Amino acid sequence: MASGGVSVASLWTEVNRCGQNGDYTRALKALTKILHENRDDVTALHCKVVCLIQNGSFKEALNVMNTHSKMLGSEVVFEKAYCEYRLNRVDSSLKTIESAPEQTDKLKELYGQVLYRLERYDECKSVYTDLIRNSQDEYEEERKTNLAAVVAAMSQWEKAPTEDLGLPESTYELCYNAACSLIGQGKLTEALNKLQQAEELCRVSLADDSDMTEEDIQSELAVIHSQMAYVMQLQGRTDEALQLYNQVIKLKPSDVGLLAVTANNIITINKDQNVFDSKKKVKLTNAEGVEYKLAKKQLQAIDFNKALLAMYTNQADQCRKLSSSLQAQNPGHPRPVLIQVAQLCREKQHSRAIELLQFNFDTCHVTKACDVLRSIEEFKHKPGMVSALVTMYSHEEDIDSAIDVFKQAIEHYQSEQPGSATHLALVREAANFKLKYGRKKEAISDLEQLWKQNTKDVHTLAQLISAYSLVDTDKAKSLSKHLPSADTMSFNVDVDELENSHGATYVRKKAAKVVGENPPKEQGHGEVKKKKKKKKGKLPKNYDPKVTPDPERWFPMKERSYYRGKKKGKKKDQIGKGTQGATAGASAELDASKTASSPPTSPRPGSASGSSTAPASGVVPPRQQKPSSSGATRKKAPQKKKKGGKGGW
């Protein structure tokens, strides 16, 4: 008899009724009373553990099992392993399962979940394959869904060849997993079609539920829409992808893993632009529990993007810290080192960047560096990467490897984006590269593909004919018929005008005219010669129009006819040249050249002819005046351009 007059039997009846109704909280109260009467009741302890698990109290349930481990023993192996799994103690859960005396179906189901979390996909596939083959119950569809998820993970993260296991695509979960497998194979167009099929199946299955609102349906579709956006992003349709990603973010789904992946993909689209939006989105990648929801490669990609975002936002210390941590976690991965090198380059520390590259990569082995670059799956087909690899292989004179890079990239775009601008540009560059290195035979297929895209491209047709001329002359002749005729290629161009134009690098000189051979010009058709306007010269300030200019004014003073040498001091005029003691006046009187009756032997330059009123020596010849410095114009100093105040990158 229990306390309060209630029998143990009636308490068990209460536990049974609550269990059937799903009222595990009330069942726990009844079990507590039973255990109060008999604390060693194994059945009551087991039921208590189950009720705690149903209520989500995994830690409390695990404490009960550990406290009564001797009594419960192997009775609660599954419950213990499940609690450890739900508490993200995956390694402990694996040990508990492996220590079980018997591997039941439910333990195998849990074993498959644990192996999937540990990314041991081969073993996980074997477990689910065995379960599907040897069990027949209502959970068969769930097992097939889990097996499809394993196949998709192997395709995406391990690049393993896919195996057709004959799995149906009757539900949207199975269809979604099939699409993920196609993404791993690089079949993006097929994957997008499969995702659209999964969306339709999801809407149909949820439409029957009257309790589901449109918002609930959109939340359920969020994972499909996010994956569709990812495929669009890989196809280069970034605007459409970004719009779909933002729709998923606005829904605020409860799956932190989905939010983290979606936010990370938005950051990759933003790159070095819109960094403020990226800083907001990066918070979603730091949510609690994200590390238990995503694969290691997904978490690694998120960490790489965090380091790059720190670099773009000028958080140098944070960037170095994150990249160093990534390098320690992934010692063989080149990206952490490249991020550190990029950060040093942004800080203008190029010598340190070179030292870091030399320390981590053998820069003398270009081929080895190419192998490292080609190992980066998500970038190896990008035009920039193709250009870098081709340049490096060309430097090493490894033309075959360079052509192989072109071949793989073209095949990738041929399957994913046939006829796109990037695809045709790669084909064009491949053809030019092969022609450059004399591989005309190999360039034929590329040139034919380009010519079929545009049959009016005469340049490509000419290259194709040239290539065929060495391989198949008959084919070259037949293609020559497609060349336009000479008449259609002629243009009304004035050759003389073209050669004498300002843009011509060579101007044809006209033949010199022979004297006496000028034909008479017809009236009205004569050439009008343009007269050059003569610039008026500047006259000196003391210019006198009545005085004839000195004809020797352009000669240096020493070379002029009237130059008599320099005067040596002021006393020369005061001291006479006659007898000692003679005065200046006497000397002037004795100087015959200064008397009126003694005319000069020759007229001074600039003297007025016929003038007898003033001595000729008194006229100062005009001189060309130099422009005064005060009148000179100043060049305005170039105004410094102000730096713009643009924000962002």
Side-chain angles (χ1 to χ4, degrees), residues 215-232:
E215 187 177 349
D216 295 333
I217 294 173
Q218 289 297 326
S219 297
E220 192 69 22
L221 289 169
V223 64
I224 299 175
H225 288 162
S226 183
Q227 200 73 314
M228 289 171 73
Y230 176 62
V231 174
M232 291 175 184

Side-chain angles (χ1 to χ4, degrees), residues 273-318:
Q273 305 294 322
N274 204 3
V275 291
F276 297 108
D277 177 64
S278 296
K279 289 184 76 173
K280 291 179 183 177
K281 296 295 187 292
V282 81
K283 294 178 182 178
L284 296 174
T285 65
N286 297 326
E288 185 179 357
V290 168
E291 64 273 21
Y292 305 118
K293 292 286 186 177
L294 303 179
K296 290 179 181 177
K297 287 197 174 181
Q298 287 176 304
L299 295 171
Q300 185 188 71
I302 289 173
D303 288 339
F304 283 144
N305 289 330
K306 286 179 182 177
L308 286 170
L309 183 60
M311 182 182 74
Y312 290 138
T313 52
N314 294 323
Q315 295 176 289
D317 294 335
Q318 180 74 359

Side-chain angles (χ1 to χ4, degrees), residues 6 10 33 38 81 83 117 134 199 243 259 261 293 297 364 396 448 452 483 497 565 586 595 635 645:
V6 181
S10 61
K33 292 177 181 179
N38 183 10
C83 286
R117 181 77 68 82
N134 299 315
E199 181 182 12
Q243 185 178 0
L259 275 174
V261 170
K293 292 286 186 177
K297 287 197 174 181
C364 295
E396 292 295 293
E448 281 185 336
K452 287 176 182 178
L483 287 170
E497 183 181 354
T595 59
K635 287 186 178 180

Side-chain angles (χ1 to χ4, degrees), residues 628-645:
S628 114
S629 60
S630 61
T633 56
R634 293 184 180 179
K635 287 186 178 180
K636 194 173 182 180
Q639 191 175 6
K640 292 185 178 179
K641 293 183 180 178
K642 295 182 180 178
K643 293 185 179 179

Side-chain angles (χ1 to χ4, degrees), residues 183 185-189 234-235 377-383 405-418 420 422-423 426:
I183 293 171
Q185 298 172 54
K187 300 177 180 179
L188 301 182
T189 305
L234 292 177
Q235 290 178 330
E377 290 292 330
E378 58 266 44
F379 293 113
K380 69 178 184 179
H381 298 312
K382 299 288 185 182
V405 170
F406 274 123
K407 181 183 175 183
Q408 291 185 14
I410 290 169
E411 287 176 354
H412 171 77
Y413 283 98
Q414 178 68 43
S415 62
E416 300 305 326
Q417 303 175 37
S420 65
T422 305
H423 176 218
L426 284 170

Side-chain angles (χ1 to χ4, degrees), residues 25-324:
T25 303
R26 192 168 181 179
L28 277 171
K29 292 178 181 179
L31 288 166
T32 302
K33 292 177 181 179
I34 293 170
L35 289 169
H36 183 72
E37 294 294 326
N38 183 10
R39 64 174 59 185
D40 295 330
D41 190 332
V42 175
T43 305
L45 285 170
H46 196 170
C47 289
K48 183 178 181 180
V49 168
V50 172
C51 288
L52 288 169
I53 290 173
Q54 291 290 348
N55 282 343
S57 304
F58 305 112
K59 190 175 288 186
E60 191 176 347
L62 194 60
N63 289 336
V64 171
M65 287 183 279
N66 289 333
T67 304
H68 302 88
S69 58
K70 291 183 179 180
M71 284 188 294
L72 293 171
S74 60
E75 291 289 328
V76 291
V77 172
F78 172 77
E79 287 79 2
K80 183 181 180 183
Y82 183 75
C83 286
E84 289 170 337
Y85 172 77
R86 292 300 299 270
L87 291 169
N88 297 311
R89 303 174 188 176
V90 188
D91 292 320
S92 299
S93 179
L94 181 65
K95 290 179 182 178
T96 302
I97 294 169
E98 290 175 342
S99 64
E102 182 185 359
Q103 293 294 320
T104 61
D105 283 351
K106 62 180 182 180
L107 265 177
K108 288 180 181 178
E109 297 273 7
L110 182 58
Y111 186 43
Q113 295 279 9
V114 170
L115 290 172
Y116 184 85
R117 181 77 68 82
L118 292 170
E119 300 184 24
R120 291 163 60 173
Y121 298 123
D122 281 327
E123 299 170 68
C124 183
K125 186 175 78 169
S126 300
V127 170
Y128 282 123
T129 304
D130 181 64
L131 279 168
I132 292 169
R133 186 183 298 117
N134 299 315
S135 60
Q136 291 181 349
D137 52 29
E138 66 272 20
Y139 299 111
E140 183 178 357
E141 191 175 278
E142 292 184 10
R143 295 188 186 104
K144 288 180 178 179
T145 301
N146 289 344
L147 180 58
V150 174
V151 173
M154 293 176 71
S155 175
Q156 284 189 308
W157 312 128
E158 295 183 350
K159 302 300 177 184
T162 54
E163 182 182 353
D164 186 8
L165 301 175
L167 295 172
E169 296 176 6
S170 54
T171 65
Y172 74 89
E173 292 95 341
L174 282 163
C175 202
Y176 171 82
N177 287 333
C180 293
S181 182
L182 289 169
I183 293 171
Q185 298 172 54
K187 300 177 180 179
L188 301 182
T189 305
E190 294 178 43
L192 190 59
N193 293 334
K194 195 71 68 177
L195 287 169
Q196 290 170 349
Q197 185 181 342
E199 181 182 12
E200 292 175 7
L201 288 170
C202 183
R203 287 186 180 277
V204 170
S205 64
L206 297 177
D208 298 334
D209 192 346
S210 57
D211 295 332
M212 293 287 290
T213 63
E214 181 60 30
E215 187 177 349
D216 295 333
I217 294 173
Q218 289 297 326
S219 297
E220 192 69 22
L221 289 169
V223 64
I224 299 175
H225 288 162
S226 183
Q227 200 73 314
M228 289 171 73
Y230 176 62
V231 174
M232 291 175 184
Q233 183 179 352
L234 292 177
Q235 290 178 330
R237 298 157 58 186
T238 52
D239 291 337
E240 298 171 71
L242 192 60
Q243 185 178 0
L244 208 50
Y245 282 140
N246 284 320
Q247 287 178 11
V248 173
I249 294 290
K250 287 179 182 178
L251 289 171
K252 298 181 180 179
S254 57
D255 188 347
V256 293
L258 173 61
L259 275 174
V261 170
T262 305
N264 175 74
N265 291 351
I266 291 174
I267 292 170
T268 60
I269 291 177
N270 288 341
K271 295 183 180 178
D272 58 343
Q273 305 294 322
N274 204 3
V275 291
F276 297 108
D277 177 64
S278 296
K279 289 184 76 173
K280 291 179 183 177
K281 296 295 187 292
V282 81
K283 294 178 182 178
L284 296 174
T285 65
N286 297 326
E288 185 179 357
V290 168
E291 64 273 21
Y292 305 118
K293 292 286 186 177
L294 303 179
K296 290 179 181 177
K297 287 197 174 181
Q298 287 176 304
L299 295 171
Q300 185 188 71
I302 289 173
D303 288 339
F304 283 144
N305 289 330
K306 286 179 182 177
L308 286 170
L309 183 60
M311 182 182 74
Y312 290 138
T313 52
N314 294 323
Q315 295 176 289
D317 294 335
Q318 180 74 359
C319 178
R320 276 190 285 269
K321 182 180 177 181
L322 289 170
S323 56
S324 298

